[in-house]
């Protein structure tokens, strides 16, 4: 069930009521209840998915205990390798089987060898990219002795299947989330209120921003051959906000929902479009994924130690692998390559950690330099989003080519009457709201918070898109 | 927990109040749009029509019969009660609601064609009923075809949250003095477009002839319609069945297919005292493209000419009665 649906609202109210009705001393019962409702939530998509998540849970639970109980390093490494193989194997099969088969066959076709294509009709289980990485982080942290494995299967299973973040993150670390399942949860009014506020803000990002942009983005990308330069640029611009509103909105709703139940999830977005360079962008965008790759791939490869060549190689690997995580399509890989190309110069000039503070900290407005930096970084991100959104490399190339050479900037070309100045104004308003609240996780703070809540609710009711529920983009990963 | 619950209650109350206010504002705005289908429905439900002559039909009825022109010929108050894309079932439903609030007519002009007798599976143009979904009769009619609106009673404004364009039109109505964007006068919507061939409508008929056409999905509609006309005739209402002109590109394929149906209505008209059949399928109007915006919908020009013709024919019938 989608977060922006009546059924989820009813589900959440019921879960909240029953959960807090359980006396807090019965932590295991609370966890068991969460486990059951999480499986109900996940099974709502497709009950067959439950076998996979249960399998992944059982395998990693026992492997982690095995790692802990084995003194021999070789054996511990073997158990870890099995965990990696099982999780990556599951992910690889469901997500990438057809991609590899198709490319394998196509590659042989270029040298006139015809192979029989036996693609399978494989349904991609929702959230598999997220929970496999989450369980992997657990076994890796146990191996690295950063964490003792839990002997409480219910707690572990609930950690894996916890419904607020199960299908699209944040990808939680066991060191952060798992201990919370062992502790008593005390209902805290402020925490719960902040959870509600995050949910409202997340719904605004999703329903008003992302879903308003979506039809316009679809219209332009589906018919880009007949669009002019202005429309194509706006297509990329709107997609930038569609994916941000969608994903950040989902994450906020997930974090807010978890907070209602007394849990703290990690922040997943930190106003990425206010980044001054691409390195900062990647510290602010999908933080749970980028830190996962940093800690479990980049650093083991050597990170930024070693020769310049090693650093560049490691960065390239990370960007390509994380891009490939998004989907089995060459467009994602080239999206990652583009970001690597943008990132490498900053790395080589040792400027990748230059902007680690909040932009214009303590000031109302950015300097001209900061503004130009943000616009430039945003433009790079938008350019790369074309690859992310286009259905194929050929389409992406044609889109970019037409955008550059058409040079027609007439506004009459815009295909949908609603999405003219109106849409741009809504997005600019959104950016202004985010700018002036970039220190906080949502705008409902300060003296005028009730006015802001009222205004956002009004916009949710009058500007939100409710028809033809748009699915969260990241569900496909 | 108390503080949190109070907070949530406040949020829900704010949302509820806003939703209620927006819904009522938009309802009023849409109904205030001049010459609109909203205003038409509002007049029906307010009992402001009370026409002596009613036109029933689907989109061909709505676009082909100019109520004002027919009224001038007959000197009787005329209103077009057709339902856009609505076949016989929906037409009956609208007529039933009409009768609840208005006087019964003395004459019904019923447009008939091949599509008229198919079942309606949904209410097309249900968005024009949005301001009236809290009205019992409208709700019941909509729920017969689609239960989506049953959720709307739980929270106000959900109907407009699914149709933002209508919300915008409702608000804009106040700022532009109720200036509508339709030309829907006395139920008639004159189409100003010029002819564009609608191949998709003709394709099916190209492949069929009267021997191979499947009449079974029309049979129920024809039988039910005949029963309805007979009931109205027994109540003293004159039923004028009209087959409007169709453009020759379509007619060459549909003429043979429609023959059996037209013969049934000819027989009905011969048998029943107050039922008449005006068969204008092959009328000369159908030879001129300028009268149509597709192969079987008259545009405003064609509707004016056809309505004059119908008006003259009806005058003769009424004089003879």
């Amino acid at each position: 069930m989608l977060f922006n649906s009546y059924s989820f609202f009813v589900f959440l109210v019921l879960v909240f009521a029953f959960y807090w009705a359980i006396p807090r001393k019965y932590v295991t019962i609370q966890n068991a209840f969460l486990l059951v409702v999480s499986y109900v939530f996940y099974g709502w998509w497709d009950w067959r998915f439950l076998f996979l998540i249960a399998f992944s849970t059982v395998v990693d639970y026992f492997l982690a205990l095995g790692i802990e109980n084995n003194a021999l390093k070789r054996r511990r490494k073997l158990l870890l390798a099995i965990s990696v193989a099982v999780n990556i194997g599951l992910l690889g099969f469901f997500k990438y089987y057809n991609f590899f088969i198709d490319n394998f066959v196509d590659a042989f076709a270029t040298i006139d060898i015809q192979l029989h294509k036996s693609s399978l009709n494989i349904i991609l289980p929702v959230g598999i990219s997220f929970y496999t990485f989450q369980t992997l982080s657990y076994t890796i942290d146990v191996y690295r002795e950063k964490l003792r494995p839990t002997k409480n299967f219910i707690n572990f299973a609930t950690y894996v299947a916890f419904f607020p973040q199960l299908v699209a993150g944040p990808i939680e670390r066991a060191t952060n989330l798992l201990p919370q399942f062992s502790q008593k949860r005390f209902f805290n009014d402020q925490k719960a209120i902040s959870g509600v506020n995050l949910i409202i803000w997340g719904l605004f990002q999703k329903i008003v921003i992302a879903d308003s942009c979506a039809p316009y983005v679809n219209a332009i990308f589906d018919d880009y051959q007949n669009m002019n330069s202005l429309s194509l640029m706006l297509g990329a611009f709107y997609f930038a906000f569609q994916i941000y509103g969608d994903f950040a909105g989902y994450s906020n709703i997930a974090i807010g929902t978890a907070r209602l139940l007394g849990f703290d999830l990690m922040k997943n977005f930190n106003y990425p479009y206010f980044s001054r360079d691409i390195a900062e962008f990647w510290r602010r965008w999908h933080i749970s994924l980028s830190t996962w790759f940093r800690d479990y791939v980049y650093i083991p490869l050597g990170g930024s130690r070693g020769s310049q060549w090693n650093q560049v190689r490691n960065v390239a690997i990370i960007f390509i692998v994380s891009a490939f995580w998004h989907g089995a399509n060459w467009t994602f890989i080239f999206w990652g390559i583009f970001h690597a190309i943008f990132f490498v110069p900053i790395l080589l000039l040792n400027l990748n950690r230059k902007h680690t503070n909040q932009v214009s900290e303590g000031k109302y407005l950015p300097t001209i330099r900061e503004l130009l930096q943000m616009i430039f970084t945003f433009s790079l991100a938008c350019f790369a989003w074309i690859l992310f959104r286009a259905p194929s490399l050929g389409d992406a190339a044609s889109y970019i080519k037409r955008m550059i050479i058409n040079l027609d900037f007439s506004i009459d070309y815009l295909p949908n009457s609603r999405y003219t100045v109106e849409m741009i104004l809504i997005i600019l308003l959104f950016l202004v709201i985010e700018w002036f609240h970039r220190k906080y996780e949502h705008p409902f703070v300060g003296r005028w918070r009730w006015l802001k809540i009222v205004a956002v609710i009004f916009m949710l009711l009058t500007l939100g898109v409710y028809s033809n529920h748009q699915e969260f983009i990241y569900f496909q990963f | 927990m108390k503080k949190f619950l109070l907070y949530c209650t406040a949020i829900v109350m704010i949302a509820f109040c806003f939703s209620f206010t927006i819904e009522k504002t938009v309802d009023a705005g849409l109904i205030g749009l001049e010459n609109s289908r909203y205003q038409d429905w509002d007049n029906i439900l307010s009992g402001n029509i009370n026409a002596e002559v009613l036109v029933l039909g689907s989109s061909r009825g709505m676009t082909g019969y100019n109520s004002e022109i027919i009224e001038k010929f007959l000197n009787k108050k005329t209103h077009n009660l057709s339902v856009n894309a609505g076949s016989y079932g929906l037409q009956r439903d609208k007529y039933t609601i009409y009768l609840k609030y208005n006087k019964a007519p003395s004459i019904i002009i019923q447009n008939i064609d091949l599509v008229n007798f198919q079942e309606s599976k949904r209410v097309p143009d249900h968005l024009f009923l949005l301001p009236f979904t809290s009205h019992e009769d409208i709700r019941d009619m909509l729920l017969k075809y689609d239960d989506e609106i049953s959720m709307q009673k739980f929270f106000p404004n959900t109907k407009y949250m699914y149709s933002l364009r209508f919300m915008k039109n409702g608000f804009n109505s106040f700022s532009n003095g109720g200036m509508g964007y339709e030309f829907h006068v006395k139920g008639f919507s004159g189409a100003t477009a010029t002819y564009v061939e609608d191949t998709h409508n003709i394709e099916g008929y190209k492949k069929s002839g009267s021997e191979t056409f499947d009449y079974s999905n029309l049979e129920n509609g024809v039988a039910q319609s005949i029963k309805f006309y007979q009931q109205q005739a027994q109540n003293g209402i004159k039923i004028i069945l009209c087959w409007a002109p169709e453009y020759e590109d379509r007619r060459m394929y549909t003429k043979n297919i429609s023959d059996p149906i037209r013969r049934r209505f000819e027989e009905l008209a011969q048998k029943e005292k107050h039922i008449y059949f005006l068969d204008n399928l092959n009328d000369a109007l159908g030879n001129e493209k300028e009268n149509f915006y597709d192969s079987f919908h008259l545009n405003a020009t064609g509707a004016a000419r056809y309505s004059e013709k119908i008006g003259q024919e009806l005058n003769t019938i009424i004089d003879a009665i």
Side-chain angles (χ1 to χ4, degrees), chain A residues 295-404:
Chain A
D295 293 342
Y296 299 113
V297 182
Y298 184 67
I299 290 174
L301 281 175
S304 49
R305 294 191 304 266
S307 64
Q308 271 197 343
W309 159 247
N310 279 349
Q311 290 179 38
V312 170
R313 181 204 65 189
N314 294 343
V315 160
I317 290 172
I318 285 304
F319 273 108
I320 291 170
V321 169
S322 63
F324 200 44
W325 174 92
H326 284 80
N329 195 322
W330 286 106
T331 51
F332 296 118
I333 294 171
F334 273 80
W335 170 73
I337 289 173
F338 264 81
H339 271 280
I341 291 170
F342 300 151
F343 188 92
V344 162
I346 300 175
L347 176 72
L348 294 176
L349 293 170
N350 221 15
L351 295 172
N352 54 310
R353 306 251 359 131
K354 185 179 176 192
H355 298 121
T356 52
N357 61 333
Q358 188 66 259
V359 60
S360 305
E361 201 164 7
K363 291 185 278 183
Y364 271 122
L365 296 173
T367 61
I368 303 289
R369 184 189 167 94
E370 284 171 336
L371 184 62
L372 290 172
Q373 285 172 332
M374 287 190 282
I375 291 171
F376 180 69
T377 306
F378 177 73
S379 304
L380 291 179
C382 271
F383 184 83
W385 283 133
I386 295 171
L387 282 148
F388 195 94
R389 173 60 179 78
S392 71
L393 275 183
D395 286 309
S398 303
Y399 188 109
I400 292 168
K401 183 180 168 188
R402 190 173 170 84
M403 186 174 73
I404 293 168

Side-chain angles (χ1 to χ4, degrees), chain A residues 6 16 187 189-190 192-193 196-197 260 418 422 450 453-454 458 461-464 466-467, chain B residues 1-4 7-8 10-11 14-15 18-19 22 151 155 157-158 161-162 164 167-168:
Chain A
Y6 289 123
F16 178 85
F187 185 84
D189 281 309
Q190 278 311 117
I193 287 171
V196 167
N197 289 338
L260 283 177
R418 181 179 179 222
E422 224 177 277
W450 272 106
I453 290 171
V454 162
F458 180 77
L461 295 172
T462 54
L463 299 174
Y466 296 90
S467 56
Chain B
M1 181 72 78
K2 193 173 161 189
K3 189 176 171 188
F4 168 72
Y7 186 84
C8 291
I11 300 280
I14 291 168
F18 262 134
S19 296
I22 292 167
M151 283 299 294
F155 204 84
N157 202 46
T158 45
M161 283 154 61
Y162 283 85
L164 280 180
M167 197 191 296
K168 192 176 167 183

Side-chain angles (χ1 to χ4, degrees), chain A residues 422-433:
Chain A
E422 224 177 277
M423 200 59 238
I424 295 173
L425 285 176
I426 292 171
I427 290 177
L428 286 176
L429 175 66
F430 172 64
L431 280 173
V432 166
I433 293 171

